[in-house]
Amino acid sequence: MYGSKDYVSIPVSDSAPTKKSRSFSLIRIWKRATRCQKNLIFLVLLLTVLSILMYSNQISKIEEEEMEAANQWRQKRREAQKIKSHNIDTGQIGDNQIQLPQLDDQKKKALQELENKIQKDFVENPDPLDIPGPKDENLIGDAMISQAPRTERQVFVVNMMKHAWEGYKKYAWGHDHLHPISRRHDDWFHVGLTILDSLDTLYIMGMKTEYDEARNFVANELSFDKDVDVNLFECTIRVLGSMLSMYHLSHDRIYLDKAVDIGNRLIPALSQSPSAVPYSDVNLKTGKVHPPKWGPDSTVSEITSIQLEFRDLSFLTGDMKYKDAVDKVSLHVHNLAGKRDGLVPMWINANRGNFRAGSTLTVGARADSYYEYLIKLWLQTGCTESMYIDDYLAAIKGMQMHLIGESIPSGLTYVGELLGGRTPSAKMDHLVCFLGGSLALGSVNIKSQHPKVAKEHMQLAKNITNTCHEMYARTPTGLSPEITYFNLNQDVREDLVIKPLDRHNLLRPETVESYFYLWRITNDTKYRDWGWDAAQAFEKYSKVPGGYTSIKNVMDPRNTQPMDKMESFFLGETLKYLYLLFSDDRNLLPLNKWVFNTEAHPLPIHSLK
Ligand code: DMJ
């Protein structure tokens, strides 16, 4: 309130000297001083100035020394870092042959000690930044040809990639697949599939010369205007997936144009179906669609593993027709009757839109990536669409109830099947080995809402990945067969039963894919060692002068019976996951920013709903 006393008075002494009177009295003192007193004052002043100068000189000397010490420390730290990551200077990217470094015993010991320490630190003190989580709006265009120094093991994988690429270039350029022994090729979609599947691997590995060759092919030779029937799923995950990935990584407009072109040519498989279930095949030129040639039904995996890609295409173009088309499929399958505790029958009919009654329940061929995409679709849009996570959690529960068991005598966790929807079978495809990685990825992302389930899933992830490792480690070649049966008979002393017709290895990625996820998420170095063993086995038994080949018999190292085929996913997935597994750079495609499609093409996590 105004009017009352709202200030305090400070008494000012009448005798306080003013500035003028103070300087005046100093001059008076100086004038009155004797000569001797003046000399003394002068000397004191001189000494004061000199000591100030000396002191400041001393300070800058100390600063210099400190800076020098800091530089030395940084240098030492860089060296320690070098040992830790087996780093080597690989010279110019695109050189013909990359030299492998030799580690002496002392360095090996230092490396081991460092790895133990990192492992211990991680367990005691996990880095919150490493835990994948949703959301990052500004991902588009994390442009990055990897220029980072590579580890010894990465160099090994780059050399594998070079060998595979050179064989393909020499004997199959422009065709879909290389036959590395006969030095011939085959065509499936007639689009140079191996080139397309390899693009982002070359890019991520920093293989500039080879990447430029591939990019030139896309710019100057690639045409989708072909009178050829393609499988919607395979073409989506390999071709559309690759174009989208490359656009996100490089910002190169050519890839977006190609993505739109192939997306538009594939979309009739969805739009022309009388039901919400797409047809399996579509003609790239005419847009004519049809079910598979060998039967009336599509597989569940093929109709539910195109969503990441088409949603991303909508995200990039702003045209919702792609997203709407695939969302319709997902919603339909979500609501469809005939599932058993979240598990889907593997056949579904495009004309009628229903599951085929009595279909086998499996996590292997024909259903696998349905489960993989549930968790990844939830992650892709920043964990916002509950339908996917609900179905995912239900499905994993269903697997635990009906499909998962333990073998005798070692208690290996396997994921079997219900044949005809009823009869249990302890049969596990190599394809199932993706599940360890997906479970681990899911586990860290559901942890805050479902801590107990997350823990259970992580344990399951480790157990299944361990089983997949055994599927490699227990064969004489160190390579897994395509199909493994698990022993449930008390009288038999071997867990794995490998039938003669199941002994082939197609250079598949699923196991090393799970090693990659488990390594990134747990930091347990055993996954890297297991991946290294697998790489060595591919090198020993699948490498031929013309490239890498699938083999027919993993059980006989002296007679592996090469099948003369190098699948595009060997370059697109297997070698990419190995390279990432061996990378010390956790910022190379971090799992909280990128989601890999089922052909290992990374797409950004965003918030499109
Ligand atoms: C790839 O085309 C994909 O990973 C797909 O999901 C399963 N089959 C092959 C690799 O094994």
Side-chain angles (χ1 to χ4, degrees):
M1 220 160 97
Y2 294 107
S4 61
K5 196 176 170 190
D6 57 355
Y7 56 88
V8 283
S9 60
I10 302 171
V12 179
S13 157
D14 285 341
S15 61
T18 62
K19 230 181 181 183
K20 204 176 162 198
S21 67
R22 203 187 304 131
S23 58
F24 178 70
S25 62
L26 277 176
I27 294 169
R28 227 174 26 205
I29 291 169
W30 178 255
K31 274 185 182 164
R32 279 190 200 152
T34 62
R35 192 188 186 96
C36 174
Q37 282 170 325
K38 281 181 182 164
N39 281 346
L40 199 66
I41 292 169
F42 185 71
L43 199 68
V44 168
L45 280 174
L46 191 72
L47 280 173
T48 313
V49 171
L50 277 176
S51 50
I52 287 172
L53 281 175
M54 274 169 68
Y55 180 68
S56 64
N57 201 25
Q58 188 69 10
I59 297 257
S60 57
K61 245 190 171 166
I62 292 170
E63 274 174 352
E64 263 173 38
E65 274 168 19
E66 271 176 1
M67 268 166 66
E68 174 63 16
N71 280 338
Q72 282 177 7
W73 178 80
R74 270 187 217 111
Q75 176 67 18
K76 277 193 185 137
R77 198 178 58 169
R78 269 198 294 272
E79 274 163 19
Q81 191 71 22
K82 263 191 193 165
I83 301 173
K84 178 193 126 196
S85 55
H86 317 217
N87 279 354
I88 55 157
D89 185 359
T90 56
Q92 268 238 297
I93 286 169
D95 279 346
N96 274 343
Q97 189 66 21
I98 288 169
Q99 294 303 312
L100 294 175
Q102 294 301 316
L103 290 181
D104 60 29
D105 287 344
Q106 208 186 341
K107 278 189 179 165
K108 274 186 190 151
K109 200 170 155 236
L111 168 68
Q112 192 52 51
E113 277 167 11
L114 245 155
E115 276 187 348
N116 292 345
K117 188 178 173 307
I118 291 167
Q119 174 70 10
K120 192 164 162 270
D121 284 354
F122 182 82
V123 173
E124 285 168 4
N125 205 3
D127 180 358
L129 293 177
D130 283 340
I131 309 280
K135 294 184 205 66
D136 188 329
E137 297 276 349
N138 295 317
L139 276 172
I140 306 313
D142 250 2
M144 48 155 198
I145 281 199
S146 169
Q147 303 278 1
R150 303 184 181 96
T151 65
E152 181 186 13
R153 288 174 176 184
Q154 277 183 298
V155 172
F156 189 87
V157 179
V158 170
N159 283 331
M160 290 176 83
M161 185 72 186
K162 275 179 182 291
H163 182 71
W165 184 257
E166 270 157 24
Y168 170 79
K169 202 172 112 185
K170 210 159 170 191
Y171 306 117
W173 185 255
H175 296 279
D176 286 343
H177 286 119
L178 165 69
H179 294 208
I181 297 171
S182 58
R183 303 187 169 180
R184 300 163 87 93
H185 47 74
D186 70 60
D187 282 301
W188 187 21
F189 304 156
H190 298 264
V191 292
L193 197 57
T194 295
I195 303 175
L196 306 188
D197 239 357
S198 299
L199 268 160
D200 54 5
T201 306
L202 295 170
Y203 192 88
I204 290 160
M205 289 183 179
M207 293 173 63
K208 195 168 177 329
T209 308
E210 295 81 354
Y211 170 74
D212 287 344
E213 291 162 359
R215 198 261 174 208
N216 284 344
F217 173 83
V218 174
N220 305 319
E221 293 175 59
L222 177 62
S223 165
F224 296 132
D225 195 28
K226 300 263 166 73
D227 187 6
V228 52
D229 289 2
V230 301
N231 177 277
L232 167 68
F233 159 73
E234 296 288 1
C235 201
T236 298
I237 64 168
R238 298 185 199 218
V239 181
L240 177 57
S242 148
M243 295 298 102
L244 293 168
S245 244
M246 277 316 304
Y247 181 66
H248 288 297
L249 294 171
S250 69
H251 289 182
D252 188 336
R253 177 71 205 217
I254 186 90
Y255 297 116
L256 181 57
D257 292 343
K258 293 290 179 191
V260 172
D261 186 10
I262 191 70
N264 287 339
R265 290 171 190 276
L266 293 174
I267 206 89
L270 293 126
S271 59
Q272 291 189 18
S273 168
S275 77
V277 175
Y279 281 113
S280 64
D281 289 68
V282 55
N283 186 290
L284 286 183
K285 197 182 191 74
T286 64
K288 225 173 136 210
V289 295
H290 62 82
K293 292 213 167 89
W294 53 87
D297 300 327
S298 302
T299 69
V300 172
S301 60
E302 65 187 335
I303 66 149
T304 53
S305 314
I306 51 177
Q307 280 72 2
L308 286 175
E309 298 80 359
F310 279 98
R311 282 159 35 126
D312 192 68
L313 189 54
S314 280
F315 177 61
L316 285 175
T317 59
D319 186 343
M320 288 299 129
K321 76 172 178 225
Y322 310 107
K323 179 182 184 309
D324 291 345
V326 291
D327 279 356
K328 189 171 143 197
V329 185
S330 297
L331 194 63
H332 177 76
V333 174
H334 170 72
N335 290 321
L336 197 57
K339 281 182 236 149
R340 179 142 176 218
D341 296 312
L343 302 175
V344 284
M346 65 188 197
W347 295 110
I348 192 162
N349 190 284
N351 287 319
R352 293 188 300 278
N354 56 356
F355 290 124
R356 189 199 293 177
S359 301
T360 291
L361 302 179
T362 175
V363 186
R366 303 191 177 91
D368 48 358
S369 42
Y370 162 72
Y371 303 104
E372 178 188 350
Y373 269 36
L374 286 178
I375 189 68
K376 291 184 173 176
L377 284 165
W378 183 63
L379 292 174
Q380 186 189 28
T381 50
C383 306
T384 52
E385 295 164 289
S386 56
M387 173 177 101
Y388 296 112
I389 191 67
D390 293 347
D391 286 356
Y392 173 77
L393 293 172
I396 304 299
K397 215 178 202 171
M399 289 177 203
Q400 290 171 310
M401 286 162 74
H402 303 293
L403 306 181
I404 293 176
E406 284 188 3
S407 65
I408 295 172
S410 317
L412 299 177
T413 301
Y414 67 85
V415 188
E417 303 186 341
L418 277 185
L419 302 176
R422 268 192 303 274
T423 316
S425 164
K427 165 193 175 250
M428 182 164 154
D429 293 343
H430 184 277
L431 288 167
V432 178
C433 288
F434 82 88
L435 187 60
S438 291
L439 277 167
L441 182 65
S443 170
V444 285
N445 282 287
I446 61 171
K447 201 153 81 184
S448 55
Q449 288 137 299
H450 309 276
K452 214 170 137 236
V453 181
K455 212 169 160 202
E456 215 176 280
H457 284 196
M458 186 57 86
Q459 193 51 54
L460 197 53
K462 290 178 184 171
N463 292 349
I464 292 170
T465 306
N466 179 58
T467 299
C468 293
H469 169 246
E470 293 297 319
M471 282 156 53
Y472 281 70
R474 292 195 189 194
T475 70
T477 55
L479 289 173
S480 166
E482 176 74 355
I483 296 169
T484 304
Y485 287 83
F486 288 80
N487 173 49
L488 304 178
N489 183 342
Q490 292 288 355
D491 302 329
V492 177
R493 300 315 300 157
E494 175 51 60
D495 294 86
L496 310 186
V497 181
I498 302 170
K499 299 186 178 177
L501 288 178
D502 302 335
R503 294 180 173 182
H504 46 296
N505 178 290
L506 304 182
L507 307 166
R508 285 196 192 277
E510 292 77 17
T511 297
V512 295
E513 171 183 348
S514 283
Y515 293 163
F516 161 66
Y517 283 104
L518 267 292
W519 152 251
R520 275 274 176 104
I521 290 165
T522 69
N523 228 39
D524 188 337
T525 50
K526 82 174 171 210
Y527 297 110
R528 289 181 133 185
D529 295 339
W530 290 354
W532 181 238
D533 293 343
Q536 297 297 305
F538 282 129
E539 196 67 2
K540 191 158 180 197
Y541 295 107
S542 299
K543 188 176 184 180
V544 290
Y548 290 84
T549 177
S550 304
I551 59 172
K552 211 173 191 166
N553 189 1
V554 297
M555 300 306 283
D556 187 352
R558 281 159 307 150
N559 183 21
T560 56
Q561 300 172 36
M563 292 165 80
D564 194 19
K565 173 103 186 234
M566 185 173 80
E567 300 281 351
S568 71
F569 54 67
F570 181 64
L571 294 85
E573 294 194 72
T574 311
L575 295 180
K576 185 188 289 145
Y577 282 127
L578 282 170
Y579 184 82
L580 292 174
L581 170 68
F582 299 142
S583 171
D584 286 336
D585 182 2
R586 303 184 79 86
N587 287 320
L588 184 56
L589 300 170
L591 296 178
N592 60 346
K593 294 189 175 176
W594 296 88
V595 64
F596 290 82
N597 86 341
T598 191
E599 192 74 6
H601 298 305
L603 301 172
I605 289 173
H606 51 72
S607 63
L608 174 79
K609 278 193 84 179

